[in-house]
Amino acid sequence: LTDKLPANAYVYDHEKLYNKVLKTTDKDRFIDLRKLLKEKSKEDRVYFHTDHHWTLNGAYEGYLAYTNYLETGKVQDEISEYKESEETLGSDKFFGTIYSKVMDSSAKGEDLYIQTDIPEGIKVTCDGKEGEVYDEEKLKEKDKYAVFFGGNYAQMTIENPSATSDKTLLVIKDSFANSMLPYMLSEYKKIDVLDLRYYMGSIKALIAENKYSEELILYEMSNFAEDRNMYKLAM
């Protein structure tokens, strides 16, 4: 979204980065969101101004792209059917990671929305302790993005006894997944979520034990390209 940047701002070569990653990735299973997000940005903000994460609009576009891929088996540049989502304002005073680096006194607090149409009876376990989909106490703190599940954990398990299917899902992710996961809760009986920065267990053993219906690697692209923990996928 270079049109959103100030004059003379440095922009990394995303085409070079994508081509580098695609050399070791099955292109037919790689969901490239760039065109979708660029199109969506014409009507809504898909990224925050003061933070590197996508907004709920961006996260929802990612969710729709993934579900459309599962339904059609193809990566699409356009979403054919737009599903409605229920959202509520979590905070209108969100200042993110970029603000923390720049500390621009003229920056204005942003709106941070959360999804509200999540199923009842969800059980969340974060590194062996009871958790929750939304930790609203985080909205009172500096890192308000941590409202999603309370932050990042080595392993998180989300169980939904009233799921619309018996499907299970393994998500290997960075923090971009945190705001997208609540959209997926109604569709899976269980979702295991791993953050390779902290997870030290055997991923092969976990997959063999659980026999997941689906496996999703969900990252911001430059994080994925630079992550030095990918070797853990072979452990």
Side-chain angles (χ1 to χ4, degrees), residues 173-191:
K173 61 90 180 181
D174 66 6
S175 57
F176 270 64
N178 296 4
S179 56
M180 179 172 144
L181 283 169
Y183 287 122
M184 309 172 76
L185 301 183
S186 63
E187 301 162 28
Y188 296 92
K189 185 72 72 175
K190 185 177 82 163
I191 304 176

Side-chain angles (χ1 to χ4, degrees), residues 191-215:
I191 304 176
D192 279 332
V193 186
L194 306 183
D195 190 319
L196 297 185
R197 292 172 293 181
Y198 315 114
Y199 187 75
M200 300 304 294
S202 169
I203 295 177
K204 281 188 174 181
L206 189 70
I207 292 174
E209 178 183 351
N210 288 277
K211 297 181 174 59
Y212 298 102
S213 309
E214 299 161 19
E215 297 160 16

